[in-house]
Amino acid sequence: MIQSANLGLRFILELGVLAVLGYWGYRTGGSTVTKLALAGGAVAATAVVWATFVSPNASVEVPAAVHLLLQVLVFATAAAALVSLHRPTLASVFGATVLVNAALMAAWNQ
């Protein structure tokens, strides 16, 4: 039961990355077109990288070290985006949640 909840949390964190990066892109852009392009581009690029290399059904199998590095980069990018949006507390909570989730996933071989 708790292991399933941990997998559910992981999925929520992944969706959170997309939401944060979309919000970051929208808040960072100047004009409406730039805002939409940054938001859409950040979300699309992240989703493509995740689906291609990181997800459980990834289309390209990469070495474990690359897999881990990509996960760290994606989650760290979202935390950095929160910091750039002047939300350091939220970035810290997000980062800590990701770390606890990752530790549990490793302990339970998820």
Side-chain angles (χ1 to χ4, degrees):
M1 172 79 172
I2 195 154
Q3 292 176 348
S4 295
N6 193 52
L7 288 175
L9 174 61
R10 174 60 170 232
F11 182 66
I12 291 168
L13 290 169
E14 293 167 6
L15 292 177
V17 167
L18 298 176
V20 166
L21 294 178
Y23 182 65
W24 169 86
Y26 190 79
R27 293 290 304 220
T28 301
S31 68
T32 302
V33 172
T34 306
K35 289 176 185 242
L36 294 175
L38 279 173
V43 170
T46 304
V48 166
V49 167
W50 194 269
T52 304
F53 302 108
V54 183
S55 78
N57 297 325
S59 57
V60 177
E61 193 169 326
V62 295
V66 174
H67 188 264
L68 179 62
L69 176 65
L70 288 172
Q71 288 183 58
V72 170
L73 286 174
V74 168
F75 287 116
T77 300
L82 286 169
V83 170
S84 77
L85 292 168
H86 307 290
R87 302 284 188 257
T89 304
L90 188 54
S92 297
V93 169
F94 179 78
T97 305
V98 167
L99 288 175
V100 169
N101 176 259
L104 291 174
M105 287 186 71
W108 293 328
N109 294 319
Q110 294 182 310

